[in-house]
Amino acid sequence: MSDKKPDLHSAYALNSPNEHKRLYAEWAGDYDDGFAAREDYQLHTHTARAFVGAGGQGPVLDIGAGTGLCGAVLSGLGVGPIDATDISADMLDQAMRKDIYRDAIEADLTQGIPVPRESYSGIVSSGTFTHGHLGPEVFPALLRVARPGAQFALSINARHFEKLGFAEKLRQLEQGQIRNLTLPEVRIYGDLAAGPNKDDTAFIALFERV
């Protein structure tokens, strides 16, 4: 454990799965009441509502579930069952305490997701593609666990959307693997946020698996 308290700058600076595990092990206990509340974090709410608005339904896999912020909104909107997956066991431990998830799956997305093919009717992700340390190379792993017709709602930080190849990857997937792609843009933080990232936005990639 470091003496420096984890913060948004630390998260944006992550470069590897091991760094991610270390940071979020320290951050897990304080994430909801500290970061999310202090920064007026809103992306999880936008993502969950977009998923439901597009007709999404369970069973759902919450990708990079963290402490379960997005899953809690989904559950409150009547969606279920929901499974959580994250690289951080400590974050998943916090998520499971909310009693909204059916199962917790510890996984590094770059190594795949250890569940059977076509397990889910919905795939959501809020914040996983926000910091820039994870790119569109993991999309095939998400598509593998989605059923034909499954609804996706994936938030992607706008500043990384073109630079890290998300736009190009989605264009490629539209050639026979996904359909009905829309990209509404939302604010990641609310009006109470401060600091250099307070005006950051994200696209929510809404689409269905063919």
Side-chain angles (χ1 to χ4, degrees):
M1 299 285 257
S2 69
D3 293 330
K4 186 178 184 299
K5 193 171 184 176
D7 57 16
L8 188 61
H9 177 76
S10 305
Y12 272 53
L14 292 172
N15 289 309
S16 72
N18 283 336
E19 289 180 5
H20 188 123
K21 286 182 179 180
R22 284 196 296 270
L23 178 92
Y24 284 96
E26 296 182 41
W27 210 358
D30 184 55
Y31 190 85
D32 289 8
D33 295 331
F35 161 72
R38 184 176 62 248
E39 298 293 337
D40 197 13
Y41 187 64
Q42 299 291 325
L43 187 58
H44 58 295
T45 300
H46 293 311
T47 303
R49 288 178 176 170
F51 176 78
V52 173
Q57 54 187 332
V60 172
L61 183 61
D62 185 356
I63 301 290
T67 60
L69 293 175
C70 188
V73 179
L74 286 172
S75 180
L77 292 171
V79 175
I82 312 169
D83 290 346
T85 185
D86 201 279
I87 196 172
S88 168
D90 297 273
M91 285 288 202
L92 286 174
D93 181 61
Q94 294 292 325
M96 292 304 286
R97 296 181 188 184
K98 289 183 166 70
D99 292 327
I100 55 175
Y101 291 107
R102 177 180 63 180
D103 194 14
I105 305 158
E106 185 180 349
D108 176 351
L109 292 182
T110 64
Q111 304 301 312
I113 304 168
V115 300
R117 182 181 298 274
E118 299 183 2
S119 292
Y120 297 97
S121 296
I123 307 288
V124 301
S125 178
S126 173
T128 304
F129 303 110
T130 296
H131 307 314
H133 55 272
L134 197 64
E137 70 278 357
V138 303
F139 279 15
L142 309 190
L143 289 165
R144 186 190 76 84
V145 301
R147 297 170 181 169
Q151 178 66 52
F152 281 69
L154 311 177
S155 71
I156 303 166
N157 191 299
R159 72 174 63 185
H160 304 312
F161 188 70
E162 292 281 351
K163 183 171 65 175
L164 293 187
F166 287 101
E168 177 60 27
K169 183 63 174 180
L170 288 168
R171 282 193 289 267
Q172 292 173 4
L173 292 176
E174 282 189 290
Q175 309 305 309
Q177 294 186 66
I178 69 172
R179 64 190 179 211
N180 299 329
L181 173 66
T182 60
L183 294 163
E185 188 172 5
V186 300
R187 289 182 62 190
I188 295 176
Y189 307 99
D191 293 336
L192 301 179
N197 298 104
K198 68 182 179 64
D199 295 319
D200 284 6
T201 64
F203 293 108
I204 300 179
L206 294 168
F207 58 86
E208 299 164 20
R209 193 202 137 179
V210 171

